[in-house]
């Protein structure tokens, strides 16, 4: 009667285990921040309707038409989810644009009112004037986006 010695199975390398745990943690974090809940105000849905799908390029600039200047409320703004941008009008006739991705954990900002852009995930507030942080937990401003205003048309550059 012969008895075989048990075969040992090699354990995964420490580097492999650490990489797998890191990847799993990243996946969890991205899933938590990537919720597509529609907790935004009516200005967002108006923006989507006013943008007409946003696919028509403007004449001459090669950009994408976003909205009419009259669509952006003074002291507030409009979020264009499909373009990843929020356009604001801090003062009459002055238009600014910023990324709609919160710098805290990447959630999409949800509303613009009373001079602030608000992220619904952790309640960070950003200035409509320059995208700076008004209230954390975000510590970095919203990055500026390039737009052009020609007549009454706002175009994403």
């Amino acid at each position: 009667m012969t008895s075989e010695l048990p075969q040992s199975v090699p354990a995964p390398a420490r580097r492999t285990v650490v990489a797998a745990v890191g990847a799993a943690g990243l996946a969890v974090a991205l899933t938590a921040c990537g919720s597509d809940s529609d907790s935004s105000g009516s200005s967002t849905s108006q923006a989507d309707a006013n943008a007409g799908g946003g696919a028509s390029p403007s004449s001459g600039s090669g950009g994408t038409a976003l909205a009419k200047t009259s669509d952006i409320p003074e002291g507030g703004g409009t979020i264009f989810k499909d373009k990843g941008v929020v356009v604001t009008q801090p003062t009459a006739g002055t238009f600014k644009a910023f990324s709609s991705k919160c710098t805290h954990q990447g959630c999409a900002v949800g509303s613009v009112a009373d001079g602030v852009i608000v992220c619904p995930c952790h309640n960070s507030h950003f200035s409509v004037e320059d995208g700076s942080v008004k209230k954390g937990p975000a510590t970095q401003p919203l990055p500026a986006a390039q737009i052009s205003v020609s007549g009454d048309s706002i175009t994403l550059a």
Side-chain angles (χ1 to χ4, degrees):
M1 203 178 201
T2 62
S3 68
E4 293 184 23
L5 294 175
Q7 296 284 330
S8 71
V9 177
R14 180 178 181 166
R15 193 173 285 177
T16 303
V17 172
V18 170
V21 169
L26 180 62
V28 169
L30 291 175
T31 301
C33 288
S35 76
D36 194 37
S37 65
D38 190 18
S39 62
S40 59
S42 63
S43 66
T44 302
S45 57
Q46 281 179 335
D48 294 340
N50 291 338
S56 60
S58 70
S59 59
S61 73
T64 302
L66 287 175
K68 300 286 185 196
T69 55
S70 59
D71 296 336
I72 311 300
E74 186 178 340
T78 304
I79 301 165
F80 298 90
K81 285 183 182 181
D82 59 332
K83 302 298 179 200
V85 65
V86 56
V87 177
T88 66
Q89 185 178 189
T91 58
T94 302
F95 297 91
K96 305 280 184 150
F98 308 98
S99 168
S100 63
K101 184 177 178 181
C102 179
T103 57
H104 175 235
Q105 287 188 345
C107 294
V109 297
S111 63
V112 185
D114 301 323
V116 294
I117 303 164
V118 180
C119 177
C121 294
H122 300 104
N123 206 30
S124 289
H125 290 196
F126 302 91
S127 169
V128 297
E129 294 178 20
D130 58 8
S132 62
V133 177
K134 293 289 209 180
K135 176 182 169 193
T139 58
Q140 298 295 313
L142 292 176
Q146 296 298 312
I147 57 169
S148 63
V149 180
S150 178
D152 67 345
S153 179
I154 300 174
T155 305
L156 185 60

